[in-house]
Amino acid sequence: MAAHSSRTSPIPHTPTPDPAPRTIAELVRAQWGDHRIGLKHGESAVTHHQLAAGAAARAALLGELLPRDAEPHIGVLLDNVPEYPLWIGAAALAGAAVAGINPTRRGPELARDIAHTDCALLITERAHLPLLAGLDLPLPPERVLIVDDPAYQELLAPYGGARPDAIAAVPGGGGARTPGPATRLLLCFTSGSTGAPKAAICTQGRLAAAGHSLVRYFAVCPEDVHYLCMPMFHGNAVIAGWAPALAGGAAVALRRRFSASAFLPDVRRYGATYFTYVGRAVQYLLATPPAPDDRDNPLRTGFGTEAGAVDAARFADRFGVRLVEGYGSSEGGAALQRTEDTPPGAIGRPAPGDDLAVVDPATGAELPRARLDAAGRLLNGDRAIGELVNRGRSSFEGYWRNPEATAARTRGRAEGEAGAGWYWTGDLFFRDENGFFHFAGRADDRLRVDSENLAAAMIEDILARYAPAAGVAVYAVPDPVAGDQVMAALALRDGAAFDPDGFAAFLAAQPDLGTKMAPRFVRIVAALPVTATNKVHRVALRWAGFRCPEPVWWSPQNAPGTRATPAGSGHRPLYRPFTDEDRAALMAQYRDHDRGRLLDR
């Protein structure tokens, strides 16, 4: 099984040879003059040369539009359309940075993401304009560019002759920034337990190194086609899909949004040899009706996380495609790689050059290896489970305008103190006697639902508006297939009773409730359990999950992968009592995917 926190696909950490381009800007410039197909989307195809020219035109436009005293940051609120990689390439050439804006966010939280990353320009499309309606955006309307509006093409037209080798660095914060390995290129949002998402910094050097590393790891060549069906605001698609294609001279094929039914037709039409995935995407593909020609496809490899050993084996058997699983982070702090000899239930071993360990979070002391019985059950969890840290050199580059979160990752310990300078993942692991790492939970209150990282505190803030509730706690319960499901415990006010229809109506009316935030399970308690320091005892709630003595209501259709209560959509989850029969059927799903042990933590 793969880990759950702010994870994208694992990136093998191997040294980059000196001759390899050290920046994404260099890789974009190298496309100039290459007239092979570089990008496929729908019925259209463009060459590498055209991509370089398009990136140069947009980079030149940046020099005109960006205020000289602003950070050179571009918010990109797009589905997977050709404009997305073009603007990443433009930012690279101009020494600017792209903040991937998540379209599943809503209302003030969406506006907050744009403001927090100091976006001086916002690139979007007509389909997403309703998300921006009525928001207090931190930039004027003339700096919101709509890529499928004719005015956008008119704006770009004067820069059509720009060459990538002649682009000047755009001004930002008072001075121009010539692109180099240390130049910011991506601001990737990732969630934590503190509430608002954090924007992890990824420089041109780190992204280029990741691309080169994956080229070597997967032997990427110019004849390959990387199918990008995961959203490009995630690190998965950009770091694990687009960057190695760029570094290896391969083409990319874009799918606007993931579609299980369109997957194989797309793969065959585009001649895709490689794809990236996160979490339940693999399960959705397995849920499509089998066909006798399923193995008739050009795919060689799928690369990602959270598919799970059971589904990975099913995928290989059905489609003839090997899935490479592992553990990594958008922050670049630690990585684990799954190998052929990785046992069931384990993630893998450290990437080459990493010094990963499981330590006591309080002291930094390395914990003893885990002892497992013949059935794979952990026998010494009280001594073996701790936090995963990287004690060696980390490529973590910090969070944008969040020194507290940055310090928390390195713990801000004094020089010489145990743990000083380490990268602390915030995830709990144990390590077996053969050196394989096993995921054991999270050290904070993050949830990962349908490949989206959510913060419990944010959902709690929304549910706290529910008038009958005197107290609210939100926590994760493992999904039967991958990631988590949202569960909420509600302590009701005196005299109040839980009204499932009223609760569903309340959720549908919340403008900042994201599409994946609605609880699937609701536990009604007399009072929230607390610790000795009067904090909500979330560990106890997670351990009990839906197997608790109090009444539980659930929304069977509100599972990960469904459109869960988008504001203004008219859809709402339907809650009904969670019966013994429901519990038995759900437990069978856990057993079928070898995930029942996650309920026994």
Side-chain angles (χ1 to χ4, degrees):
M1 111 166 213
H4 299 298
S5 65
S6 56
R7 304 298 159 221
T8 181
S9 300
I11 306 302
H13 290 183
T14 53
T16 301
D18 289 338
R22 298 189 304 152
T23 67
I24 296 297
E26 292 177 72
L27 290 170
V28 172
R29 293 189 199 108
Q31 293 182 303
W32 187 262
D34 184 346
H35 296 283
R36 296 174 304 109
I37 297 299
L39 185 147
K40 304 177 182 183
H41 179 252
E43 300 303 320
S44 66
V46 297
T47 67
H48 291 285
H49 178 83
Q50 290 171 316
L51 289 171
R58 287 154 181 80
L61 176 62
L62 281 178
E64 296 296 327
L65 293 182
L66 288 179
R68 301 189 65 83
D69 59 348
E71 291 291 347
H73 293 178
I74 310 156
V76 177
L77 177 61
L78 295 172
D79 290 332
N80 286 8
V81 294
E83 289 288 342
Y84 212 125
L86 282 169
W87 275 102
I88 298 177
L93 292 174
V98 164
I101 306 301
N102 183 344
T104 70
R105 300 269 283 167
R106 291 292 184 271
E109 298 300 332
L110 179 64
R112 177 263 171 200
D113 292 350
I114 297 169
H116 174 69
T117 45
D118 296 305
C119 293
L121 194 67
L122 180 64
I123 313 298
T124 190
E125 54 188 317
R126 289 174 176 170
H128 292 319
L129 290 181
L131 299 178
L132 303 174
L135 295 187
D136 183 17
L137 295 178
L139 67 171
E142 62 268 20
R143 282 195 262 124
V144 177
L145 305 187
I146 305 167
V147 299
D148 48 357
D149 189 301
Y152 173 73
Q153 294 302 328
E154 293 176 7
L155 195 63
L156 268 179
Y159 306 97
R163 294 173 56 99
D165 57 356
I167 295 298
V170 297
R177 301 178 183 180
T178 301
T183 303
R184 286 190 305 275
L185 179 58
L186 300 177
L187 296 173
C188 299
F189 277 110
T190 179
S191 298
S193 62
T194 54
K198 304 180 291 291
I201 296 169
C202 180
T203 60
Q204 292 211 29
R206 178 156 77 90
L207 188 57
H212 291 306
S213 188
L214 287 170
V215 166
R216 294 190 297 275
Y217 192 74
F218 289 113
V220 178
C221 66
E223 288 69 38
D224 281 318
V225 177
H226 289 197
Y227 180 55
L228 306 187
C229 53
M230 296 293 100
M232 291 192 72
F233 62 80
H234 271 177
N236 170 277
V238 176
I239 299 174
W242 179 77
L246 183 66
V252 297
L254 300 179
R255 177 79 193 177
R256 175 178 278 274
R257 295 177 185 172
F258 174 75
S259 167
S261 62
F263 180 83
L264 274 185
D266 274 358
V267 162
R268 292 169 178 145
R269 173 171 57 163
Y270 297 133
T273 57
Y274 170 101
F275 76 103
T276 67
Y277 63 88
V278 179
R280 295 178 65 93
V282 169
Q283 191 231 352
Y284 298 149
L285 293 172
L286 290 171
T288 58
D293 62 347
D294 279 342
R295 295 173 71 93
D296 181 15
N297 67 75
L299 282 173
R300 184 174 69 247
T301 308
F303 182 47
T305 187
E306 296 182 9
V310 173
D311 283 343
R314 291 173 177 169
F315 195 88
D317 181 65
R318 176 173 167 182
F319 297 104
V321 180
R322 179 179 66 118
L323 300 184
V324 178
E325 284 260 320
Y327 170 98
S329 66
S330 302
E331 294 93 334
L336 293 168
Q337 295 177 3
R338 189 174 185 86
T339 55
E340 295 291 340
D341 58 343
T342 299
I347 300 294
R349 288 193 173 103
D354 278 0
D355 181 14
L356 269 58
V358 176
V359 305
D360 183 328
T363 66
E366 186 166 2
L367 297 176
R369 298 293 177 95
R371 291 186 293 106
L372 306 174
D373 67 12
R377 291 187 292 263
L378 180 62
L379 301 177
N380 62 335
D382 57 332
R383 300 184 64 236
I385 293 177
E387 186 168 351
L388 180 69
V389 300
N390 186 351
R391 301 179 298 192
R393 183 176 180 180
S394 166
S395 57
F396 175 54
E397 297 168 313
Y399 297 108
W400 178 250
R401 296 205 189 287
N402 199 332
E404 296 82 6
T406 299
R409 280 291 179 210
T410 57
R411 292 290 168 92
R413 299 187 181 215
E415 187 173 351
E417 186 180 358
W422 296 354
Y423 178 83
W424 295 73
T425 65
D427 289 325
L428 301 178
F429 274 76
F430 60 87
R431 191 177 193 180
D432 66 29
E433 294 176 343
N434 295 316
F436 291 100
F437 287 79
H438 302 244
F439 179 72
R442 53 193 44 77
D444 52 25
D445 294 308
R446 285 174 287 182
L447 304 86
R448 186 165 178 83
V449 179
D450 202 9
S451 307
E452 286 289 331
N453 294 306
L454 306 176
M458 293 177 60
I459 305 175
E460 286 174 355
D461 288 344
I462 296 171
L463 298 189
R465 305 169 193 158
Y466 181 55
V472 177
V474 170
Y475 46 99
V477 293
D479 181 86
V481 176
D484 301 321
Q485 295 180 358
V486 180
M487 186 164 184
L490 300 182
L492 301 180
R493 300 185 186 279
D494 290 344
F498 182 70
D499 174 10
D501 292 336
F503 184 69
F506 160 81
L507 293 177
Q510 305 312 302
D512 50 351
L513 187 77
T515 59
K516 304 180 191 302
M517 291 182 178
R520 190 181 192 196
F521 299 95
V522 180
R523 174 182 176 182
I524 306 301
V525 298
L528 295 175
V530 295
T531 66
T533 56
N534 209 35
K535 295 180 180 179
V536 174
H537 198 334
R538 287 186 178 82
V539 173
L541 291 169
R542 283 197 295 264
W543 281 347
F546 48 75
R547 298 181 297 179
C548 55
E550 293 90 352
V552 173
W553 297 75
W554 79 317
S555 177
Q557 89 283 9
N558 189 33
T562 62
R563 298 290 293 176
T565 326
S569 67
H571 299 291
R572 63 179 65 170
L574 301 176
Y575 289 92
R576 63 175 176 81
F578 185 64
T579 66
D580 291 341
E581 291 77 14
D582 293 329
R583 183 180 296 106
L586 192 58
M587 291 303 299
Q589 293 183 40
Y590 283 98
R591 289 192 298 272
D592 186 49
H593 290 88
D594 191 28
R595 285 173 66 85
R597 57 194 167 80
L598 297 181
L599 298 173
D600 297 322
R601 295 202 294 258

